[in-house]
Amino acid sequence: MCHITQRSSTSSFPKIYSIFWRFHHTSTSHWCSCSKTISDEKYQDPFQLGKKDLKNLYEDIKKELLVSAAELKEMCDYYFDGKGKAFRPMIVVLMARACNIHYNNSKEVQASQRSVAIIAEMIHTASLVHDDVIDDANSRRGKRTLNQIWGERKAVLAGDFILSAASVALARIGNTTIISVLTQVIEDLVRGEFLQLGSKENENERFAHYLEKTFKKTASLIANSCKAVSILGCPDPKVHEIAYQYGKNVGIAFQLIDDVLDFTSCADHLGKPTAADLKLGLATGPVLFACRQFPEMNAMIMRRFSKPGDVERARKYVLQSDGVQQTTYLAQRYCHAATREIRKLRPSPEREALVHLTEMVLMRDK
Amino acid sequence: MRGLVVLLISKAAGPSTADLSFQHDMVSGIYSSQRSLAEITELIHTAFLVHRGIVNIGELKSCDGPLKDMQFGNKMAVLSGDFLLANACTSLAQLQNTKVVELISSAIGDLVQGIYYENSKSSEENCLTDDIGISRWKEQVFLSHSALLAKSCQAAMELAKHSAEIQDMAFQYGKHMSMSHKLHSDLQPFVRESSSDTIAFSLNSAPAILHQEFRGREAWLKQIREAQGKGNIVDYKKLQEAIKAGKGVTSAIDLCRCHGNRALAALERFPPSEARDALANIVYAVTRFP
């Protein structure tokens, strides 16, 4: 369990929080002041509980990728090597089970719900492949990136192919509502990438911009795939909203921690280079918080850390500041929100696993 | 052209006979869903024109200009292509027809594979031509040039709930018309009368592939070697003459007309109309040679 120091948070938080809560949580009533994250109920290891549903996940994905050209096939299969965390499919199948139990105590995952898990992982991977080309990245998950091995031209095509296969699988579910929900993800991913290109002058706008980007690039996929399986499992729109809100909050927390790890983890452990965001000119949560303590960072943010030495200096400032703690604290609050949402469902081991999963999001170190 | 063909074939097929409930939606003989489909087809086609323009950073030479600019160009190309594709996906979802989503998604997959073949050809340094026969050539051209249009035409019929037979005829029209269109453009360097300057042609264009089939691979490679001067620069004029002297050009013209006839035969199943005539005229235009 990680302990977050909240010493200095009270002074700086209210203002900036009011901004993003307005942005992201228009309907949220109030926050409980306790930061208790462990309840007395017995926790299930989410990865054990969802394991049998995800058995052969990668084999099934590879079956969706029907290509005749051997090299293109190899490229498409490259990241489905079973070494990924399969974090998204895990959330999706657990959510499916939790919703099914909530609705009619059904203990089965429907084939269509499992397809959503597969499609979510495929859309995610397709976007990684394109992101790596856009960012000119060299390594991911401890492997060389597709663009490093095969060049940008083919890498982009492989990404396009994975996306098209995902959309064929999506169409085969045969439900137009599900198609609309998951198509929203594709649109959000692209718009998120465009948001990442711009930077905002105003500090508050910058934070809202960062959270909006985080939602579109990371949380939308989790939120909408959770929503999709809830629609398939249960007709109650209230449940769909619970699933969506859970996915959205966990997704944002997940990305916030990702942004923290970019500063605190070492490259070997993470499987990709650290301070990668700074090198790309991106100011993530820890930087934005640090900037409140060290206003001299403003200029660096605006020039996207382009001057020699900017990246190192910014990194130093971040580590000196409480940017990392504050970002982690923020992630914690999103996780609380996720937990509160999911607890509205009828109790089940899967529901508790989803609660536990929010903690794993906070504690992960890679 | 693609969007236009989708609109024309929608109009040629006319209103749905199965379902009279959504006929108020029709403007000048075309349903609004078919109009969106035409836009989607264009969006997808354009997205891949953009993605085709991506360069391999590692292969750039210093004479290609600053690396940073090329990286930025790539970034923009990936993003804008994705943006167009995402818009296509959104409009596709709005059509509320899972069969159409499946058809068009599979067409995107076909297009990717077709472009992939194009790419892998140009990257092989030692080998100027592929050792493929005309049937393999047809498969690849179907993926890169015909699948999207064929499947869009079929999807347009599905949107109006036309029968499986009409859907198939629309598919056949789209397929064969675009095959003959591709053959027509491959033939241009060989049939143009004003041959003051050689129009560049691909050694993987239909006449060259057919020429290779007639002469045999060894003889063709020998001709290529003979046309290669200093620094491996190929004298295309010389190769062009070699191909013209053989049967490659005439059999490519035959093939073009054969696909054209199959496209026209598919049209026979549609009732006579101005739209049908227009579709037939497109075929006449791409099968006419000087």
Side-chain angles (χ1 to χ4, degrees):
Chain A
M1 179 62 208
C2 67
H3 283 279
I4 309 300
T5 41
Q6 291 171 25
R7 248 178 321 107
S8 59
S9 62
T10 40
S11 57
S12 58
F13 267 129
K15 190 174 149 224
I16 205 154
Y17 269 18
S18 66
I19 293 151
F20 72 76
W21 282 140
R22 222 180 303 135
F23 171 69
H24 266 293
H25 292 257
T26 41
S27 61
T28 308
S29 48
H30 61 86
W31 277 99
C32 50
S33 55
C34 65
S35 62
K36 198 173 134 214
T37 50
I38 290 188
S39 76
D40 298 320
E41 285 162 83
K42 193 173 172 293
Y43 278 109
Q44 297 279 340
D45 178 358
F47 284 80
Q48 281 307 318
L49 202 55
K51 210 174 171 183
K52 64 173 186 293
D53 297 322
L54 298 182
K55 209 178 138 220
N56 298 329
L57 175 84
Y58 290 106
E59 278 65 34
D60 292 344
I61 290 177
K62 288 180 194 166
K63 279 182 205 149
E64 298 287 343
L65 299 163
L66 296 166
V67 212
S68 52
E71 191 187 38
L72 184 59
K73 176 69 180 155
E74 191 188 338
M75 291 172 73
C76 288
D77 289 353
Y78 187 72
Y79 284 126
F80 301 114
D81 56 0
K83 295 194 180 105
K85 294 184 287 272
F87 174 72
R88 289 158 187 82
M90 181 62 67
I91 292 188
V92 173
V93 293
L94 289 173
M95 181 60 80
R97 285 186 173 275
C99 291
N100 296 352
I101 289 173
H102 177 84
Y103 178 53
N104 56 6
N105 216 12
S106 157
K107 301 275 184 344
E108 295 303 316
V109 172
Q110 300 166 24
S112 57
Q113 291 175 319
R114 191 169 180 279
S115 292
V116 172
I118 284 177
I119 292 160
E121 188 68 3
M122 288 170 80
I123 295 177
H124 170 62
T125 306
S127 83
L128 291 184
V129 172
H130 280 197
D131 280 0
D132 285 344
V133 176
I134 290 169
D135 299 341
D136 205 16
N138 302 320
S139 60
R140 167 173 307 274
R141 295 180 187 163
K143 291 168 91 164
R144 291 169 76 203
T145 55
L146 279 180
N147 43 302
Q148 269 289 303
I149 302 176
W150 284 284
E152 284 78 4
R153 289 179 73 98
K154 288 181 178 175
V156 168
L157 291 176
D160 288 340
F161 191 83
I162 297 169
L163 185 66
S164 75
S167 90
V168 171
L170 177 56
R172 287 198 182 132
I173 292 177
N175 181 322
T176 54
T177 310
I178 303 301
I179 293 178
S180 299
V181 169
L182 290 180
T183 300
Q184 182 64 45
V185 175
I186 298 169
E187 179 148 347
D188 284 341
L189 283 170
V190 175
R191 288 184 189 271
E193 198 65 42
F194 272 105
L195 282 177
Q196 197 163 294
L197 291 176
S199 26
K200 288 274 188 289
E201 188 94 44
N202 177 296
E203 213 173 289
N204 293 332
E205 271 179 41
R206 208 185 274 156
F207 214 95
H209 190 262
Y210 165 66
L211 287 171
E212 192 185 352
K213 184 220 82 183
T214 302
F215 170 73
K216 291 209 152 96
K217 282 202 69 180
T218 311
S220 171
L221 173 64
I222 302 173
N224 283 302
S225 16
C226 283
K227 185 177 172 183
V229 288
S230 75
I231 293 170
L232 290 165
C234 166
D236 182 1
K238 283 194 211 96
V239 172
H240 307 161
E241 185 60 16
I242 292 168
Y244 180 85
Q245 290 299 335
Y246 173 86
K248 182 178 103 177
N249 284 291
V250 167
I252 293 175
F254 184 87
Q255 187 58 48
L256 289 169
I257 296 299
D258 221 49
D259 293 345
V260 164
L261 289 173
D262 198 37
F263 286 95
T264 58
S265 190
C266 68
D268 284 348
H269 194 61
L270 215 54
K272 56 184 178 188
T274 51
D277 292 328
L278 287 177
K279 288 171 196 157
L280 291 170
L282 304 177
T284 56
V287 178
L288 296 178
F289 279 118
C291 181
R292 300 174 64 83
Q293 263 172 291
F294 300 103
E296 51 271 48
M297 291 180 78
N298 257 314
M300 284 194 260
I301 294 175
M302 287 319 290
R303 63 172 179 258
R304 299 180 77 93
F305 313 102
S306 56
K307 278 199 183 164
D310 274 0
V311 170
E312 290 71 28
R313 267 192 299 152
R315 201 177 132 84
K316 228 179 230 164
Y317 277 132
V318 167
L319 295 176
Q320 276 170 29
S321 75
D322 58 1
V324 163
Q325 288 92 320
Q326 297 217 33
T327 311
T328 313
Y329 178 64
L330 184 55
Q332 217 177 19
R333 297 190 66 161
Y334 276 104
C335 282
H336 283 294
T339 302
R340 238 185 12 176
E341 287 295 332
I342 202 65
R343 286 246 158 92
K344 292 176 187 166
L345 294 183
R346 187 197 296 239
S348 66
E350 285 80 7
R351 189 192 80 171
E352 290 318 303
L354 285 168
V355 172
H356 185 46
L357 201 135
T358 65
E359 287 171 27
M360 291 174 69
V361 162
L362 293 173
M363 284 186 287
R364 76 199 178 99
D365 59 357
K366 66 186 263 189
Chain B
M1 180 188 82
R2 287 155 196 83
L4 178 68
V5 170
V6 172
L7 293 175
L8 284 172
I9 205 149
S10 301
K11 199 166 177 168
S16 166
T17 46
D19 190 355
L20 298 164
S21 63
F22 64 159
Q23 248 160 59
H24 60 276
D25 194 29
M26 209 173 207
V27 178
S28 62
I30 300 166
Y31 293 108
S32 69
S33 59
Q34 293 171 321
R35 243 175 260 280
S36 316
L37 180 68
E39 290 166 18
I40 292 165
T41 309
E42 285 293 336
L43 276 174
I44 294 170
H45 176 70
T46 313
F48 282 97
L49 287 181
V50 176
H51 276 180
R52 269 179 167 112
I54 285 158
V55 294
N56 286 335
I57 298 291
E59 291 167 15
L60 291 176
K61 301 181 186 78
S62 53
C63 61
D64 291 329
L67 191 64
K68 267 225 137 53
D69 293 352
M70 297 308 280
Q71 276 169 336
F72 187 73
N74 256 5
K75 185 170 170 169
M76 282 309 157
V78 177
L79 269 176
S80 32
D82 284 352
F83 180 75
L84 295 171
L85 274 183
N87 276 299
C89 288
T90 306
S91 309
L92 200 52
Q94 282 163 0
L95 295 178
Q96 302 274 311
N97 182 318
T98 59
K99 195 178 166 203
V100 169
V101 175
E102 186 176 340
L103 263 174
I104 302 298
S105 304
S106 73
I108 297 176
D110 293 342
L111 193 49
V112 173
Q113 293 187 70
I115 297 171
Y116 179 83
Y117 287 124
E118 280 175 12
N119 274 352
S120 43
K121 278 172 195 163
S122 53
S123 66
E124 282 167 39
E125 286 165 23
N126 301 323
C127 191
L128 279 163
T129 83
D130 281 5
D131 189 9
I132 57 167
I134 195 69
S135 61
R136 189 95 184 88
W137 181 90
K138 281 200 229 169
E139 279 168 31
Q140 292 179 6
V141 167
F142 172 73
L143 293 173
S144 60
H145 287 76
S146 302
L148 177 61
L149 188 59
K151 289 180 175 175
S152 292
C153 287
Q154 183 185 349
M157 302 300 101
E158 162 65 26
L159 285 171
K161 298 281 168 238
H162 285 299
S163 68
E165 195 213 346
I166 284 290
Q167 289 190 25
D168 185 45
M169 288 305 126
F171 177 94
Q172 298 300 334
Y173 174 81
K175 175 183 168 178
H176 292 294
M177 189 279 281
S178 44
M179 291 297 284
S180 61
H181 178 254
K182 167 70 174 154
L183 281 154
H184 184 81
S185 65
D186 273 12
L187 275 158
Q188 287 314 299
F190 301 93
V191 296
R192 287 268 179 88
E193 310 235 321
S194 60
S195 54
S196 52
D197 50 355
T198 318
I199 313 166
F201 68 96
S202 160
L203 293 178
N204 287 311
S205 65
I209 298 290
L210 285 163
H211 178 75
Q212 173 179 280
E213 280 211 331
F214 286 117
R215 295 297 307 263
R217 175 131 179 108
E218 280 314 308
W220 172 230
L221 287 177
K222 189 162 166 269
Q223 283 182 323
I224 294 177
R225 273 195 302 274
E226 281 164 11
Q228 264 173 345
K230 274 174 268 171
N232 277 350
I233 296 162
V234 178
D235 181 355
Y236 277 89
K237 184 86 187 159
K238 204 168 168 183
L239 277 182
Q240 198 177 24
E241 293 308 322
I243 294 171
K244 274 183 176 174
K247 283 186 283 185
V249 175
T250 49
S251 57
I253 292 175
D254 287 346
L255 189 59
C256 178
R257 291 196 170 129
C258 166
H259 281 292
N261 287 334
R262 293 177 75 177
L264 292 172
L267 281 182
E268 292 292 311
R269 312 306 284 267
F270 292 82
S273 67
E274 277 185 18
R276 195 185 81 167
D277 292 343
L279 289 167
N281 284 333
I282 295 175
V283 176
Y284 299 140
V286 296
T287 48
R288 192 178 299 131
F289 294 96

